[in-house]
Amino acid sequence: SQQGEEDPQALSIQEGENATMNCSYKTSINNLQWYRQNSGRGLVHLILIRSNEREKHSGRLRVTLDTSKKSSSLLITASRAADTASYFCATPYSGAGSYQLTFGKGTKLSVIP
Amino acid sequence: NAGVTQTPKFRVLKTGQSMTLLCAQDMNHEYMYWYRQDPGMGLRLIHYSVGEGTTAKGEVPDGYNVSRLKKQNFLLGLESAAPSQTSVYFCASSYAGGGYGYTFGSGTRLTVV
């Protein structure tokens, strides 16, 4: 199954700084999604970018997608302590006539107040 | 509040015991999924359903069974629990397949001793 891989595995920054996380995937996709998981909680959908889009914004989040390099990045600007969480990229995988998401292992972001 | 509800939130089982995890969604989503999350492994798909009365195997289906008798409910069963099934289990639902964002439940932490 195809799977995204996030980089770095862990990231620690000061509050107010920008945080950038990257995701690489293996085969062609029609969309890529980013999720956030706070400690001990379920995943929360942040943003979906389609293969014909290069950049997408949502509040302090900016996602880019480079299909030629099979990579995506998630930028969180002006980070806050509340942004401390794990961030996962997810890509569709085809199985039994439908598509399901496969998830990377995540980037653990720590924002220090 | 609309969303995905998982019960129970915590459970301890002895090896060989059986149990059923319940997932309920009130968003009229067609697709439902069961994932397990283990340290260093990310999320792995166990089983999924593309509609009422249907189920399909995911990446790690062995030792689990599922049923989707009603559209809003997706049950995950462990017939004979093993220590290797100690994990956090997440249910998710989506409007359709991997082209849409998933809504996750808050998880069930299962320990098999």
Side-chain angles (χ1 to χ4, degrees):
Chain A
S1 61
Q2 68 182 40
Q3 185 179 43
E5 284 291 334
E6 295 88 347
D7 175 67
Q9 291 185 342
L11 179 62
S12 183
I13 60 173
Q14 296 288 330
E15 198 166 31
E17 294 180 336
N18 295 342
T20 300
M21 288 156 270
N22 302 296
C23 172
S24 58
Y25 56 91
K26 298 175 183 175
T27 61
S28 296
I29 56 173
N30 57 21
N31 77 86
L32 184 142
Q33 303 179 31
W34 285 92
Y35 288 77
R36 182 188 74 233
Q37 183 181 33
N38 292 91
S39 181
R41 308 294 294 272
L43 279 72
V44 174
H45 180 254
L46 295 176
I47 198 164
L48 181 154
I49 186 166
R50 301 202 183 275
S51 58
N52 60 353
E53 298 174 306
R54 291 295 169 260
E55 188 170 309
K56 201 164 183 179
H57 296 253
S58 176
R60 292 184 297 110
L61 305 181
R62 183 177 77 111
V63 169
T64 62
L65 179 64
D66 187 335
T67 54
S68 66
K69 295 182 179 179
K70 292 186 171 59
S71 68
S72 173
S73 67
L74 170 66
L75 169 67
I76 303 174
T77 59
S79 63
R80 306 166 182 170
D83 295 327
T84 293
S86 292
Y87 292 82
F88 297 85
C89 68
T91 54
Y93 165 70
S94 176
S98 64
Y99 287 87
Q100 304 84 43
L101 289 181
T102 61
F103 291 81
K105 297 179 182 179
T107 292
K108 190 170 185 178
L109 173 65
S110 298
V111 181
I112 303 166
Chain B
N1 292 335
V4 176
T5 303
Q6 291 184 235
T7 53
K9 295 190 183 306
F10 302 93
R11 186 72 185 269
V12 178
L13 282 181
K14 293 183 179 179
T15 298
Q17 287 185 322
S18 63
M19 78 164 294
T20 299
L21 282 69
L22 172 63
C23 177
Q25 55 96 1
D26 59 4
M27 297 168 286
N28 203 34
H29 284 168
E30 288 291 337
Y31 287 53
M32 297 187 75
Y33 313 85
W34 277 107
Y35 288 86
R36 60 178 290 173
Q37 185 177 34
D38 302 291
M41 298 294 292
L43 279 83
R44 292 180 292 170
L45 182 64
I46 305 171
H47 285 280
Y48 63 98
S49 168
V50 301
E52 182 178 309
T54 74
T55 63
K57 295 180 180 179
E59 183 184 355
V60 288
D62 293 342
Y64 305 95
N65 57 76
V66 288
S67 65
R68 182 105 181 263
L69 299 179
K70 294 183 178 181
K71 186 177 183 178
Q72 63 268 34
N73 296 334
F74 195 28
L75 278 63
L76 178 70
L78 287 73
E79 293 183 345
S80 180
S84 61
Q85 294 177 304
T86 292
S87 187
V88 181
Y89 292 86
F90 287 101
C91 176
S93 71
S94 70
Y95 171 72
Y100 296 83
Y102 286 13
T103 301
F104 279 83
S106 58
T108 295
R109 185 173 295 274
L110 174 66
T111 302
V112 182
V113 297

